[in-house]
Amino acid sequence: MTHILAIDQGTTSSRAIIFDADMAIKASAQEEFPQHFPDSGWVEHDPGDLWSTTAGTCRAAIEKAGLGPDDIAAIGITNQRETVVVWEKDTGKPIHNAIVWQDRRTAEYCRALREAGHDKMITAKTGLLADPYFSGTKLKWILDHVDGARDRARAGELLFGTVDSFLIWKLTGSAAHVTDATNAARTLLYDIHKGRWSTSICALFDIPQEMLPEVKDCAADFGMTRADLFGREVPILGVAGDQQAATIGQACFEPGMLKSTYGTGCFALLNTGETAVTSNNRLLTTIAYQFDGKPTYALEGSIFVAGAVVQWLRDGLKIIREAAETQPLAEKADPHQNVVLVPAFVGLGAPYWNAECRGAVFGLTRNSGPQEYAKAALESVGYQTRDLLEAMQADWQGEGAGATLRVDGGMSASDWAMQFLSDIIGAPVDRPQVLETTALGAAWLAGQRAGLYPDQDGFSKSWALEQQFAPKMDAPDRDQKYAAWKRAVAATMSF
């Protein structure tokens, strides 16, 4: 048993990656699934799609690798966080579509929470904000809007889970209703200081605690898969939400280490060690990982739209056919135009947390075209990252914060985007040899637990740099461009 199967269940696709005994990728499979937008600002997934694409890509990856049932030592799972699934305990059938982390339908309820003064208690316990982004108010919405759901939940007939919990329930044939501390920490229901579900918040939201999963460490025994899935029972030994898994995969184990992942959204995490730092700049305090019952904390900044802005160029404006075309277009953009795109398609995340504002473009001229839109789209990710890093540096006074940014995710493959990122933050950007750091983090959790992979120190030493991007932009130009971005954000929120 010399291989680890990593499941990476994301917002737009499910992937399965096989890692060998040296933590190298041997094979992978990926499958996209439909996105559902039933109303303005609403985003849903069919839970059946999440499960079928996960199971299908797992089998495909194992087949591509030429492996048999006895070759897989363990499974690690990483997943889109905050997305909510509620299903029947007896049948495993969901009672509603999954409500996705991007969904904003509970914005009015969150505003009411803030106006009633509940946000301070929520933040003190969870490290999060009273915002639609998180799972708790989405779960409340399902219980409020599906007939009989709350009574059925109280009777023990319904179960709640983030995507990891739902997949584990399906993988184990309904034997395990569990999650890990990093996913629990994103629900708005979990006290990250006491390490348990908050009875006061559950009471405030009228959520029956009977439907909540058991919370475990990131590396733990999460259950055995059904034998019919992969030819034998396989242990699930590692689980972490996608951004925490990327933090682990980037070996950001020391306080002050910082990573940023560019997927559908962008998420920057700063390791703050044993200290849960309270943000004065509307960042999130969260759990980076938890081993042996001991959490390591992080400050997190969340950008809702990063890679999704490139999808918008492709699917919305139809000015590109594939993401790789964005960089060549950006390189041809008119350098004398300063088109600024604020991609607030589903509101703005940290440090603004404005659920109501929507996207805007500034600085258009008669000559503005696809090239300028592509350049503005890529630049918007750099600007938003700088917003996060400035907030983090203001909150965290520890040594080394922000000295170097480790990056991963699909957009990090773009040299142009990473060079602009380095230019606009005025700091080096390190891209690792293994860009699949989210899946690698999940694989290492499971592999280390299985005795196949090295310990934390050994894993840290294996991290390898592929390319470092150093700032080339003059400070006055950097400041001028960033000032234009700040003006554009202010105008967007005022509109």
Side-chain angles (χ1 to χ4, degrees):
M1 297 183 187
T2 54
H3 294 76
I4 299 294
L5 169 61
I7 294 170
D8 183 356
Q9 201 301 301
T11 308
T12 58
S13 68
S14 298
R15 294 188 302 161
I17 301 178
I18 303 292
F19 289 85
D20 65 17
D22 297 320
M23 293 184 287
I25 294 174
K26 183 157 186 176
S28 65
Q30 181 169 352
E31 187 176 348
E32 290 192 6
F33 51 82
Q35 310 290 302
H36 303 279
F37 309 101
D39 205 343
S40 176
W42 294 25
V43 189
E44 295 181 356
H45 293 155
D46 182 340
D49 291 337
L50 304 182
W51 166 241
S52 63
T53 55
T54 296
T57 53
C58 285
R59 293 192 187 102
I62 292 171
E63 184 177 342
K64 281 184 183 179
L67 302 178
D70 294 331
D71 294 317
I72 305 298
I75 293 173
I77 297 175
T78 184
N79 56 284
Q80 54 167 313
R81 305 171 305 171
E82 298 96 14
T83 296
V84 169
V85 187
V86 177
W87 65 94
E88 295 176 342
K89 185 176 182 179
D90 288 344
T91 67
K93 180 181 177 182
I95 67 168
H96 191 276
N97 268 353
I99 301 182
V100 180
W101 58 271
Q102 298 164 312
D103 190 284
R104 313 303 287 173
R105 75 185 66 188
T106 62
E108 197 63 42
Y109 176 66
C110 290
R111 186 184 300 110
L113 287 172
R114 294 191 295 271
E115 290 174 353
H118 295 303
D119 53 331
K120 292 181 177 62
M121 180 271 288
I122 290 171
T123 299
K125 291 180 180 294
T126 69
L128 310 177
L129 303 173
D131 187 87
Y133 174 29
F134 307 106
S135 311
T137 61
K138 302 178 195 297
L139 172 55
K140 174 180 166 55
W141 189 94
I142 291 176
L143 296 178
D144 286 344
H145 289 82
V146 176
D147 286 345
R150 185 168 277 105
D151 289 338
R152 294 186 68 194
R154 288 196 185 104
E157 297 176 15
L158 300 181
L159 300 177
F160 152 77
T162 42
V163 172
D164 59 305
S165 293
F166 179 65
L167 293 181
I168 293 170
W169 179 264
K170 300 289 282 187
L171 286 165
T172 62
S174 73
H177 183 216
V178 293
T179 188
D180 85 295
T182 68
N183 278 295
R186 311 297 298 186
T187 61
L188 211 67
L189 305 173
Y190 188 74
D191 190 321
I192 63 172
H193 309 286
K194 295 180 178 178
R196 62 181 185 230
W197 298 113
S198 169
T199 54
S200 54
I201 298 177
C202 287
L204 176 64
F205 293 174
D206 196 12
I207 291 172
Q209 287 191 250
E210 294 87 346
M211 68 188 309
L212 305 181
E214 177 188 356
V215 181
K216 292 176 172 279
D217 288 342
C218 297
D221 297 325
F222 290 91
M224 305 289 287
T225 66
R226 291 164 19 205
D228 61 303
L229 286 173
F230 307 117
R232 72 171 185 89
E233 293 183 347
V234 181
I236 303 167
L237 298 182
V239 176
D242 51 11
Q243 303 314 316
Q244 284 89 345
T247 302
I248 294 166
Q250 288 277 33
C252 290
F253 293 128
E254 296 297 324
M257 295 188 75
L258 176 66
K259 76 88 199 176
S260 190
T261 297
Y262 298 95
T264 303
C266 164
F267 303 86
L269 264 75
L270 173 69
N271 185 324
T272 62
E274 298 178 3
T275 305
V277 175
T278 299
S279 175
N280 295 313
N281 294 278
R282 310 200 78 201
L283 298 176
L284 308 176
T285 306
T286 194
I287 295 175
Y289 47 84
Q290 180 171 302
F291 302 133
D292 300 321
K294 181 181 178 182
T296 293
Y297 295 98
L299 281 171
E300 177 176 330
S302 309
I303 297 169
F304 297 149
V305 174
V309 75
V310 176
Q311 291 177 322
W312 175 68
L313 295 179
R314 182 191 70 186
D315 303 333
L317 296 187
K318 301 186 186 304
I319 61 176
I320 59 172
R321 286 171 295 181
E322 55 186 38
E325 297 175 22
T326 311
Q327 178 168 320
L329 278 176
E331 290 170 345
K332 297 174 184 175
D334 181 356
H336 300 295
Q337 293 190 50
N338 188 27
V339 177
V340 179
L341 167 62
V342 182
F345 305 138
V346 290
L348 284 171
Y352 307 104
W353 293 107
N354 187 316
E356 284 75 35
C357 71
R358 293 296 179 261
V361 185
F362 298 88
L364 293 175
T365 73
R366 284 287 299 273
N367 290 328
S368 299
Q371 294 93 334
E372 287 70 37
Y373 267 91
K375 179 170 178 277
L378 294 181
E379 287 183 340
S380 73
V381 178
Y383 291 132
Q384 291 179 97
T385 305
R386 177 165 169 177
D387 287 342
L388 300 183
L389 301 192
E390 290 200 346
M392 285 179 172
Q393 287 162 358
D395 283 333
W396 171 252
Q397 306 303 319
E399 184 178 348
T404 300
L405 176 64
R406 289 185 174 182
V407 297
D408 56 81
M411 189 176 280
S412 68
S414 167
D415 288 358
W416 194 97
M418 293 302 100
Q419 183 58 57
F420 179 78
L421 174 61
S422 175
D423 285 339
I424 204 65
I425 68 173
V429 170
D430 283 357
R431 185 170 66 193
Q433 288 184 1
V434 179
L435 283 181
E436 299 287 0
T437 54
T438 304
L440 176 62
W444 176 76
L445 287 171
Q448 188 266 341
R449 178 82 177 179
L452 184 64
Y453 291 163
D455 62 11
Q456 195 167 298
D457 289 339
F459 181 62
S460 295
K461 292 173 183 174
S462 72
W463 187 92
L465 177 71
E466 184 265 335
Q467 185 172 348
Q468 182 175 83
F469 299 87
K472 297 179 180 178
M473 187 180 292
D474 292 337
D477 291 342
R478 176 185 304 123
D479 294 341
Q480 184 178 19
K481 288 182 72 67
Y482 187 59
W485 162 259
K486 298 293 281 187
R487 291 195 302 274
V489 170
T492 300
M493 292 196 294
S494 68
F495 179 78

